[in-house]
Amino acid sequence: FVVTALTAWAAAGLALLLASLCTSRRQVLTLGNFFVLVLSAIGGSMVPRFLMPGWLQDIGWATPNTWALEAYDGVVRIGRPLEAIWLALAILFAAGFVGWLGARLAARRFEQL
């Protein structure tokens, strides 16, 4: 439950950030699809990361997809306690918070117009 909640939090925060930076619905849809596909491919959601070259695996650690997959893998397949995946959970929380904060700051530009 915790992993799912924090994954949803990260996705929502980053989606809010993207939506607040765009100026039209079409722009949100186009950029949203682009970023989802790129982050999913690099993060290991489309192709297992162990099949990727080393440099691409290293870049994958910058995506929330990788951290979500690592957290789910740690809990479901390996059966680790939450203490063993605290770093993945913290990064997912941070991604959501940074996305939310960025969205809030970007939305302020419209409040002052």
Side-chain angles (χ1 to χ4, degrees), residues 22 25 32 41 46 49 54 84 94 104 109:
C22 293
R25 176 179 254 182
M46 293 181 174
R49 291 183 67 241
R104 181 66 188 122
R109 70 180 176 183

Side-chain angles (χ1 to χ4, degrees), residues 68-81 84-85:
L69 289 172
E70 289 294 317
Y72 278 120
D73 187 54
V75 170
V76 174
R77 189 171 62 91
I78 301 172
R80 292 187 209 162
I85 57 168

Side-chain angles (χ1 to χ4, degrees), residues 17-100:
L17 176 61
L18 179 65
S20 65
L21 293 174
C22 293
T23 56
S24 70
R25 176 179 254 182
R26 183 160 177 85
Q27 193 176 31
V28 172
L29 289 172
T30 303
L31 289 175
N33 287 335
F34 173 76
F35 283 120
V36 165
L37 288 173
V38 169
L39 291 178
S40 295
I42 294 172
S45 296
M46 293 181 174
V47 176
R49 291 183 67 241
F50 66 85
L51 295 176
M52 298 178 187
W55 62 271
L56 194 55
Q57 289 179 16
D58 293 339
I59 293 173
W61 290 111
T63 67
N65 297 53
T66 298
W67 292 104
L69 289 172
E70 289 294 317
Y72 278 120
D73 187 54
V75 170
V76 174
R77 189 171 62 91
I78 301 172
R80 292 187 209 162
L82 289 179
E83 294 83 23
I85 57 168
W86 68 270
L87 180 61
L89 298 177
I91 289 175
L92 288 171
F93 178 80
F97 183 76
V98 168
W100 173 81

